[in-house]
Amino acid sequence: MLRLAGARLLDEKDYPAVRSLLAADPVGSCMVSARVELAGCDPWRLGGELWGTDRRRSGELQGLCFAGPNMIPLQGNAAALRSFADRALRKPRTCSSLVGPADQVLGLWDELVHEWGPAREVRPDQPLMALDTAPAVEPDPAVRPVRPDEIDVYFPAAVAMFREEVGIDPRLGDGGVGYRARVAELIASGRAFARFEKGQVVFKAEIGALSHSVGQIQGVWVHPRHRGRGLGASGTAAVSDRLVRGLGRIASLYVNSYNTPALAVYRRVGFRQVGRYATVLF
């Protein structure tokens, strides 16, 4: 197949153009924006590489993809996606998923599937939702930031959530060392929230990515024995309220389209759909 001009590795001189591209879709680009705002475009500090493609005539940055623990294609036409695939296939796959705007993710997967497939699971339709006002549901006053000394209580709930959502145990491979370190990092930064009852987590959620304008909520989970009490709605409202009114950010999240109970909860809280994500899990 004919390949057009390839993707190039971006660096600090590309920072203004990268920020401009990310600003065009602040909710959709939150995961990458949070990294770039903190670390710039340097791969070592960023924890991954930024790849870009340029318009033929103007040289203006046209396509953008983050390649790190997850591969996140954010912008680009079919030719850009082909060039991202070419660059990705130069070495063995290290990312655990493709995730991001559905058109880019599914288009990139079409280019990669013959080398990287089959995927463990493809989730092609994940409504991307946002809330920029006070939640429509009363926030649960018992939901609060998790303290560092509570990690031993919180960690099993995080594992249970991951197993339900992703379908694998995050402790596989290293006994949970890496995942526990990530959870500890979220707790230390004040971005893990829970409602505790009798020394047990009954609701949890995290702010997985936090840019200057958007916070992306992840890992929403209610203990199975406490479901049906409205804890998911009031707990999500509490975390959203912390983002919107406490931190001055837009609250965002994405959810599988087939998860109709979760969609109903988020809509009741006040979230509206602003885009569509897709995820390819390896």
Side-chain angles (χ1 to χ4, degrees), residues 3-268:
R3 301 298 189 187
L4 302 180
R8 62 184 179 87
L9 178 64
L10 304 182
D11 57 28
E12 286 303 311
K13 69 176 180 297
D14 297 296
Y15 180 79
V18 169
R19 286 299 309 275
S20 178
L21 217 59
L22 294 173
D25 182 11
V27 175
S29 68
C30 177
M31 287 187 286
V32 177
S33 292
R35 288 176 175 267
V36 170
E37 290 168 4
L38 183 65
C41 297
D42 176 73
W44 187 84
R45 297 180 61 225
L46 194 62
E49 296 181 346
L50 281 175
W51 302 339
T53 59
D54 301 320
R55 297 186 189 277
R56 279 184 174 274
R57 294 182 180 179
S58 67
E60 178 185 3
L61 188 64
Q62 178 263 338
L64 183 65
C65 181
F66 172 75
N70 304 303
M71 185 168 288
I72 309 173
L74 290 175
Q75 298 277 352
N77 57 19
L81 296 176
R82 287 195 295 271
S83 68
F84 294 150
D86 278 345
R87 192 168 187 110
L89 293 172
R90 292 177 188 174
K91 55 186 178 181
R93 176 184 62 81
T94 57
C95 61
S96 61
S97 71
L98 303 180
V99 60
D103 288 346
Q104 275 69 42
V105 167
L106 298 176
L108 181 57
W109 181 235
D110 283 344
E111 298 290 334
L112 293 170
V113 64
H114 297 297
E115 296 291 334
W116 283 8
R120 182 164 58 83
E121 185 179 356
V122 177
R123 300 177 177 180
D125 185 10
Q126 298 176 305
L128 177 65
M129 310 183 82
L131 176 68
D132 59 5
T133 62
V137 171
E138 186 69 23
D140 184 350
V143 171
R144 59 169 177 81
V146 180
R147 299 191 307 266
D149 65 331
E150 294 173 316
I151 188 170
D152 288 337
V153 178
Y154 184 82
F155 186 66
V159 170
M161 176 281 304
F162 195 98
R163 292 176 65 179
E164 282 188 37
E165 174 62 24
V166 181
I168 60 173
D169 191 323
R171 298 168 295 184
L172 292 176
D174 64 358
V177 173
Y179 187 60
R180 186 181 174 95
R182 172 57 177 159
V183 170
E185 178 187 354
L186 289 168
I187 292 174
S189 62
R191 288 160 45 192
F193 299 84
R195 177 188 175 109
F196 295 88
E197 292 184 4
K198 298 180 180 179
Q200 183 180 61
V201 173
V202 299
F203 167 86
K204 68 163 288 293
E206 296 139 8
I207 301 171
L210 185 66
S211 73
H212 291 330
S213 58
V214 180
Q216 189 175 87
I217 299 171
Q218 67 176 29
V220 178
W221 180 83
V222 177
H223 193 288
R225 290 201 299 270
H226 295 271
R227 292 172 186 175
R229 294 172 49 191
L231 295 178
S234 61
T236 302
V239 181
S240 303
D241 195 55
R242 176 69 65 100
L243 277 167
V244 174
R245 296 202 293 182
L247 298 177
R249 262 73 161 190
I250 298 169
S252 78
L253 51 83
Y254 62 98
V255 59
N256 295 311
S257 60
Y258 57 76
N259 192 346
T260 51
L263 275 169
V265 166
Y266 299 143
R267 286 169 177 151
R268 184 150 57 91

